[in-house]
Amino acid sequence: MSPPTLIDAPTSIAAPAPVALSYELFPPRSPAASETLWKTIRELEATDPDYVSVTYGVSGSNHDTALDLVDRLQLETTLRPLAHLTCVGGSPAELSTVVNELLDRGVRGILALRGDTPRDGVLPQGALRYAQDLIELIRRVELRRSAQFAAGKVAIGVAAYPTKHPESPSEAHDIEVLLAKQRSGADFAITQVFFHTDQYASLLHRARRAGVTIPVIPGIMPLTSVRRIEKLASLSGVLPDASLVDRLRSAGDDEAAARGIGIEASVALAEAALEAGAPGLHLYTFNEHEASLEVLARLSLPRPSRPSLAARRRAAH
Ligand code: FAD
């Protein structure tokens, strides 16, 4: 009997892939914040995510705490870190040092970001300007060390924008930039937060039409309070959904009711994204597990069945 060809390969090859699951964490700024974060990490670890991402401050403002968190995730948990790295204003030498530090620690996934530009917009001579510059630099460092990875690749993620980036002239320009980041070597993208159920589908449609083929993973934020939504809006420049804000406000002091409304809205965003073909979900946790777990519990994502957490912990250590 001849070996099976791909045409009559087992159906498992053609079966839909499991939905990827990941969380964003930020390095703690105090011992108390560290305690909360570690409780969160333990709770999230039990859901067996594919990776957790660790944010990075502009100009490496939290370089040491970010690298400490990456180290501890690798040494003390079964989780795989995806390290964010911002580049604007940094020199190629400074940034290749950080890339090498990450690779030395065993990191094999980097989210290549620009970060916020200085207010006056003036960058030192020779400094990196765009995320695309960082992707190219990471690929150059990787090339020099490729034997170490058994010629495997470092996975490079980038940011994508369902609504226009605040500094961009148009949404079409954002898509051109995403395509340029793919051409420079990006392997996948994670989206900025968004508030309307049609926005992820629209981004994916426009990106695919322009030739973007990499996975574009929706970033979903559990929207549990007006305070959080407003903070998020000021950080990201994404206008919040006014009707959601009204509904949350109408709950008044009833925190449980507001939470229910917010979780409902986040679940609707995630469901619409999955319906549009999202290959995974990336949850912005704000270092708290409860709301993310509530969203997940409502979604019943198709996830791979893996050994229990206890077994994975035993195998890892
Ligand atoms: P870029 O892709 O470089 O784009 C920035 C701007 O420049 C856009 O307006 C784009 O249109 C324009 N542009 C890009 N390339 C070109 C070009 N070749 N020519 C002309 N214009 C160009 N920030 C942090 O500080 N730390 C984090 O850890 C962090 N994590 C994030 C994670 C995710 C998933 C997302 C979506 C954002 C994150 N950010 C983080 C925020 C991010 O740094 C900002 O959104 C920043 O303003 C843009 O970063 P970028 O990587 O998209 O930049």
Side-chain angles (χ1 to χ4, degrees), residues 96-316:
S96 44
T97 301
V98 186
V99 172
N100 277 309
E101 282 178 305
L102 291 169
L103 299 180
D104 287 345
R105 287 169 147 78
V107 170
R108 294 294 179 264
I110 299 177
L111 192 65
L113 299 153
R114 186 197 68 175
D116 289 333
T117 39
R119 272 175 205 280
D120 61 9
V122 179
L123 300 181
Q125 184 129 27
L128 278 72
R129 180 167 291 273
Y130 297 120
Q132 197 184 348
D133 302 330
L134 180 59
I135 300 167
E136 286 167 11
L137 182 135
I138 296 169
R139 289 290 178 226
R140 286 208 300 278
V141 174
E142 174 193 50
L143 197 60
R144 294 186 51 223
R145 302 177 57 149
S146 66
Q148 238 192 319
F149 315 138
K153 280 178 67 185
V154 174
I156 301 183
V158 292
Y161 296 89
T163 56
K164 189 181 82 58
H165 182 270
E167 293 159 49
S168 177
S170 64
E171 288 188 342
H173 175 85
D174 285 340
I175 296 289
E176 285 301 316
V177 168
L178 183 57
L179 190 60
K181 292 195 275 195
Q182 171 179 292
R183 285 202 195 102
S184 291
D187 297 302
F188 67 102
I190 301 179
T191 76
Q192 182 59 281
V193 289
F194 56 98
F195 290 103
H196 295 278
T197 49
D198 56 343
Q199 285 170 333
Y200 172 81
S202 161
L203 167 68
L204 197 63
H205 178 71
R206 288 178 288 115
R208 293 286 181 254
R209 208 173 45 190
V212 173
T213 53
I214 55 177
V216 179
I217 298 165
I220 303 287
M221 164 90 201
L223 307 159
T224 46
S225 73
V226 174
R227 187 181 53 82
R228 176 165 294 179
I229 291 175
E230 286 176 345
K231 182 166 178 207
L232 180 71
S234 79
L235 287 173
S236 66
V238 180
L239 276 183
D241 173 6
S243 83
L244 173 63
V245 171
D246 284 349
R247 277 182 284 139
L248 287 170
R249 286 222 167 92
S250 71
D253 294 337
D254 187 344
E255 279 182 24
R259 198 180 172 78
I261 293 166
I263 297 286
E264 190 79 34
S266 307
V267 168
L269 291 176
E271 283 177 340
L274 292 168
E275 180 73 16
L281 295 178
H282 184 68
L283 291 167
Y284 289 109
T285 67
F286 266 68
N287 283 6
E288 292 168 7
H289 56 276
E290 291 91 347
S292 294
L293 295 184
E294 277 176 59
V295 170
L296 273 188
R298 296 273 305 277
L299 290 169
S300 2
L301 299 180
R303 296 280 302 147
S305 53
R306 293 225 294 149
S308 70
L309 178 60
R312 280 184 282 124
R313 279 198 181 136
R314 274 197 306 277

